[in-house]
Amino acid sequence: MRYRLGHDKLTLGRKILELNWGFVFLLICTASVGFAMLYSAAPADPNVPGSVGSWDPWAKRQLIRFGGGLVIMFVVALTDIRLWLRYSYVLYFIALGLLIGVEVKGSIGMGAQRWISLGFFQLQPSELMKITLVLALARYFHGRSLEEIQSIPYLFVPLFMVAAPSVLILRQPDLGTTLMLILGSGVIFFLAGVRLWKFALVGISALAAIPVAWQFLHTYQKKRVLTFLNPENDPLGAGYHIMQSKIAFGSGGMTGKGFGQGSQSHLNFLPEKQTDFIFTMLAEEHGLIGGLAVMGLYLLLLIYGYAIAMRSRNIYGRLVALGMTTTFFLYIFINIGMVMGLLPVVGVPLPLISYGGTVMISILFSFGLLLSVSVHRDVTISRKGEHEEL
């Protein structure tokens, strides 16, 4: 199947005007919250316990990465969406190859083998897979009729697309990213037209397989699940993170202790305050009102994302936008549920706010694809991918 690009009637200037600037403004506001929290998390003087407020070592690096990510986002957004359609499978297999590279010779950190060292940067291919899997599934379902999608033999290929990276990422081990891949893919399957009874069948099979899967989990993964069910059972060991997180949440109250005044965070009772547990620090310093304000920003971004998907005239763009927005939602839902003790701790960062280079770049890349769908929303592409109108 060939996808032919026709004459582009949208000039660069027109594309820039068509960018969804309201969405861009919201994501800058959300990322700015992250810069402020990373500034607060860092000690002003490492030799003075309890001193707070410094651009180093986290806020400045995060700001630089965000600036670079914005450039990438705009380049992706202004690229013709049919180019992404054409190279969806290529990008997927590149990401799959990098995952195999991690399996063969990846960098090890904190007990996991998830990165490839590029000298100046630690690349985490599983973050790339979150994007390329959405592109590949969107292209596959775009090229199928509804009758074909509802036929079981036509589901073997997309199921393999999901299973191959999921197995590789689970071996790293990274249970959180694996769950995000499976859940996000399930949403795309559903939106593409796969019937509900097939999901029920998969769900029942998954429940039946839990006793078998339990045997293959690492010891620390079993501890996380058991700790989630009863964190008080080991308050100084496996339950320490979540117990401290709950204490910090409760001490924040309605309005919080004030910027830089979080005692649980700054006296180092709260681990990973600059990464996975940054929302806990925010709630301790700014209370319930601050937490709800950040969740409000996320809600607006999600509304923008789903609105962009609904306005797309082509199925590929619609599925890409829905997939990217759903992945973004899963980041938020799992992280906040995790730090509040409503979900097991699985190491998922809070998007745009937690410290981390690959996650920041991959999220801004996915937002670039979302904006590309918005800019090219009136492009119509037939099931066979022939150019019709721009």
Side-chain angles (χ1 to χ4, degrees), residues 61-62 65 121-122 354-363:
R61 292 181 186 175
Q62 188 83 339
R65 289 165 176 168
F121 190 72
Q122 290 286 327
S354 289
Y355 179 74
T358 306
V359 175
M360 175 65 82
I361 298 298
S362 64
I363 287 174

Side-chain angles (χ1 to χ4, degrees), residues 37 40 244-270 273 277-291:
M37 296 315 301
S40 173
Q244 293 300 324
S245 182
K246 287 181 177 179
I247 292 170
F249 259 107
S251 65
M254 184 62 71
T255 57
K257 297 176 178 175
F259 185 72
Q261 302 301 312
S263 55
Q264 292 297 116
S265 310
H266 297 296
L267 295 179
N268 293 324
F269 289 105
L270 180 68
K273 59 181 180 290
F277 285 83
I278 197 168
F279 188 75
T280 303
M281 187 178 73
L282 185 146
E284 185 186 23
E285 294 189 356
H286 303 284
L288 178 64
I289 293 175

Side-chain angles (χ1 to χ4, degrees), residues 187-199:
V187 171
I188 295 177
F189 275 63
F190 173 72
L191 295 170
V194 175
R195 290 181 173 173
L196 279 176
W197 69 265
K198 296 188 176 73
F199 288 95

Side-chain angles (χ1 to χ4, degrees), residues 111-114 124 126-127 130 165-184 210 213-214 216-226 228 276 330 334 338 343-349:
Q113 188 168 331
R114 301 176 184 170
Q124 190 173 346
S126 57
E127 292 297 327
K130 289 176 187 171
S166 297
V167 170
L168 289 169
I169 294 170
L170 193 60
R171 282 179 56 81
Q172 292 181 354
D174 189 347
L175 182 60
T177 299
T178 306
L179 289 174
M180 288 183 66
L181 281 185
I182 294 173
L183 293 174
I210 286 177
W214 180 261
F216 290 95
L217 290 180
H218 293 262
T219 302
Y220 83 93
Q221 290 173 323
K222 292 178 181 177
K223 275 188 176 179
R224 282 182 175 180
V225 176
L226 295 174
F228 163 66
D276 295 352
L330 288 172
I334 294 176
M338 179 182 80
L343 294 172
V345 176
V346 289
V348 172

